Structure formats: structure tokens, C-alpha cells
Amino acid sequence: MTASDDLLRRIEREPSLATALAWPGDFDVERRDPVEDLALPTGIPLHPIAGCGAGGTYFLCGEAGAKERPVLYADSEGQATLIGADLVEAITLIVVLPFWRDLAKGFTISQLGADLRADHPDFNTERDRLLHALGLAPTSEEEAIARLRAIAARTAPNHVPHVPDDEHLPYELLFGDGLG
């Protein structure tokens, strides 16, 4: 059993952890039905593990127990990106930067972080408490974005999903112009 498999089981079994990840991170283990069935060009299986309110789906790539199981996020608009080399890295990103998807829209970390903290002044305390409860190492927003940049750059070509047996084009990269 890998750290990713263990972490997913903990989140599934502990409703308080699942609830804390559903907001503000929008990682909801109750939303596992993807908008459409997807496949990777390599044939590596995709396992939906959570969804977001906008219809996107988080997938673990590969079989349970596999040495490498990156996390792919595919939105409902035909864009996708890797967000973690494993579930531990992906969940750390989601907890530290719950607004990570908005970075693809050109917003900066400072803008998004200021807006989040203005609406939720206890965010830093809640974030630290959740990282501790999950057994994840604290990381700075700068380190989280650096990790996201590195893994997102590895999305193409092997982790760009497509709809099998369909003439649809492959998904576009969520951070196609890079990550600012």
C-alpha cells in the first residue's frame, strides 16, 4: 500500500477530513462521476477519486499500489493538468492553494490569497490544522506553486486525456500558456 492509497482511504473513512477538503479546496470525494469517460494515450487506467462543484474530476492514474500514481485534474470544459506526482502532493496543493485552478485564468497567488483571507480570516489556522490532521508537511504557497509548475509541465504527452472511441480531440492543457 502506498502513501497515496493510505491517504485516500483516510479521507474516505473520516468525514471531517472529507468535509474540510470539500471546502475551500473543492475536492469532494462524494463527486466521483466524471462528465465523460476518459482515457490516457498510454492506456494507463484512470480512477476518479473526487470532483469539484464546477464538474471537474480528480483522477489517480495507474493501478492501486503502483509505484507512480500521479493525480490528473480534468475540468468539464475539456482542459486537464497533472496537479501532483502523487495524492500526497496533490492534497497538499489543494489545502495550501485551494484556488489553484484560478491561476489558469491569469490571477496571481497574491490576488487570490488576499481575496480568500478577506472572506475567511481564519484560513491560515484552518489550513495548518488540516495539514496536521492529514499528516502532511506544511509548505509555503511558493513551494506549492513551484511543485504545481513542475508537475503540470509533465502533463503532455502521456497524461493528456481523450474520450475513447470518439472523434473528439484530446483535452487541452489547463496551463497551456504556462503557469504565471
Side-chain angles (χ1 to χ4, degrees):
M1 185 104 10
T2 67
S4 289
D5 297 324
D6 289 341
L7 180 57
L8 182 57
R9 282 184 177 72
R10 276 197 62 216
I11 293 166
E12 291 170 336
R13 291 180 182 156
E14 295 182 38
S16 63
L17 295 178
T19 299
L21 286 168
W23 190 96
D26 209 8
F27 181 90
D28 188 346
V29 294
E30 299 296 319
R31 293 177 182 249
R32 292 188 181 193
D33 293 326
V35 171
E36 53 194 355
D37 290 325
L38 298 176
L40 294 178
T42 58
I44 295 171
L46 292 172
H47 301 281
I49 56 171
C52 72
T57 304
Y58 295 90
F59 298 91
L60 268 176
C61 304
E63 295 295 344
K67 185 176 179 179
E68 280 193 33
R69 291 194 81 192
V71 177
L72 178 74
Y73 173 78
D75 71 15
S76 61
E77 303 299 316
Q79 295 182 313
T81 189
L82 289 174
I83 66 162
D86 58 22
L87 188 59
V88 171
E89 187 174 88
I91 294 295
T92 301
L93 168 72
I94 291 165
V95 173
V96 173
L97 296 173
F99 46 74
W100 70 269
R101 291 186 322 246
D102 291 332
L103 295 170
K105 299 174 186 168
F107 294 103
T108 66
I109 291 175
S110 59
Q111 288 172 313
L112 295 167
D115 290 346
L116 177 65
R117 287 169 180 85
D119 291 340
H120 307 284
D122 293 335
F123 171 75
N124 290 350
T125 302
E126 293 170 12
R127 174 203 61 212
D128 294 346
R129 190 176 306 135
L130 181 56
L131 287 169
H132 179 73
L134 291 165
L136 302 175
T139 189
S140 68
E141 289 180 344
E142 293 77 17
E143 178 63 23
I145 194 70
R147 289 180 185 172
L148 177 58
R149 278 188 187 105
I151 195 68
R154 292 182 35 213
T155 304
N158 294 336
H159 292 92
V160 179
H162 65 278
V163 178
D165 301 325
D166 198 339
E167 293 186 26
H168 286 102
L169 296 174
Y171 273 45
E172 295 178 12
L173 297 177
L174 184 63
F175 298 112
D177 296 331
L179 189 55

